[in-house]
Amino acid sequence: MGYTEAIDFFLDKIKENLSRVKKEEVEKLISKIIEKQREGKKILIIGAGRSGLIGKAFAVRLMHLGCNTYVLGDIITPPVGKGDLVIAISGSGVTRLVLTAVQIAKEVGAEVAAITSYPQSPLGRTADYVVELGGRILRPSKEDYFASQILGIHEPLMPMGTLFEDSCMILLDAIIADLMQRMGKTEEEMIKRHANIE
């Protein structure tokens, strides 16, 4: 399979994956972001690895919308406090860095929203709100390998959480588009908050 076929495959899988996201879960997250922005509360984005990079992209767009947004690990990130919102991204829901940060956030009274493939994971159970986003595909066991080949179930072309991460990027960009409408923000307003030294 060449890269053009891979693009078609990826787009189909991402669209299928996003179609299963529960609207009410996303609505809750959007409402919370608007609420925190209106109250002047902080929004802290947490993620590790590629999920962390996607979180950073989301954080910068929230900043462009006028939200008081930070990313875990940046040296200028202030302390999180009561009523602030933490958005934690982890497909597995067991990433240690994310779990530790979320537990501390809960201790100081912050609200936690999790984006994960596993709502019953430690992250999902700790969070106040969960957006379930599929994509963490479990490989068949060695015992099931032969049967999976006969049935046409092969190892995914989107390994190691790629489907989760790609879907998450599009979901979060779609949330930004929705927030622009609800908050009455234009691209011209957002550009005013864009970096002018880069």
Side-chain angles (χ1 to χ4, degrees):
M1 177 183 289
Y3 77 91
T4 55
E5 292 86 1
I7 289 171
D8 290 337
F9 177 83
F10 280 29
L11 291 175
D12 287 344
K13 291 296 180 185
I14 291 166
K15 188 172 182 180
E16 178 186 329
N17 194 37
L18 288 170
S19 72
R20 293 192 289 267
V21 175
K22 296 179 180 72
K23 185 176 180 181
E24 62 272 16
E25 293 178 354
V26 179
E27 285 288 336
K28 183 71 173 180
L29 178 58
I30 290 171
S31 296
K32 278 292 162 186
I33 291 170
I34 293 171
E35 175 188 312
K36 299 307 176 183
Q37 191 269 343
R38 286 180 180 157
E39 294 174 352
K41 294 293 186 179
K42 294 184 285 291
I43 299 175
L44 178 66
I45 310 298
I46 297 174
R50 285 165 47 114
S51 293
L53 294 174
I54 291 160
K56 286 183 178 183
F58 185 51
V60 79
R61 286 291 184 246
L62 288 174
M63 181 272 291
H64 291 154
L65 286 173
C67 296
N68 191 11
T69 313
Y70 300 92
V71 175
L72 182 69
D74 284 354
I75 198 165
I76 60 166
T77 299
V80 169
K82 186 174 177 61
D84 289 336
L85 177 64
V86 170
I87 300 174
I89 305 169
S90 172
S92 67
V94 295
T95 309
R96 287 185 184 180
L97 170 69
V98 174
L99 284 175
T100 300
V102 161
Q103 287 161 355
I104 293 169
K106 293 282 286 186
E107 287 171 10
V108 298
E111 293 181 72
V112 175
I115 302 174
T116 181
S117 293
Y118 298 102
Q120 296 308 312
S121 66
L123 174 61
R125 292 194 305 269
T126 304
D128 299 294
Y129 322 103
V130 175
V131 175
E132 182 179 355
L133 176 64
R136 293 297 298 188
I137 301 169
L138 300 176
R139 290 184 178 180
S141 66
K142 289 181 181 178
E143 293 76 22
D144 296 332
Y145 181 79
F146 184 69
S148 69
Q149 294 302 302
I150 292 173
L151 295 171
I153 303 170
H154 307 288
E155 290 186 3
L157 293 173
M158 305 176 83
M160 301 169 63
T162 296
L163 179 58
F164 172 82
E165 295 150 0
D166 289 351
S167 299
C168 191
M169 184 74 191
I170 292 174
L171 174 63
L172 294 177
D173 275 346
I175 287 172
I176 292 297
D178 194 311
L179 285 167
M180 284 179 70
Q181 295 291 320
R182 297 189 197 205
M183 298 166 74
K185 303 290 184 179
T186 64
E187 186 175 357
E188 288 72 25
E189 289 178 84
M190 293 174 72
I191 287 172
K192 290 176 184 176
R193 295 189 181 91
H194 195 283
N196 61 358
I197 300 176
E198 59 180 0

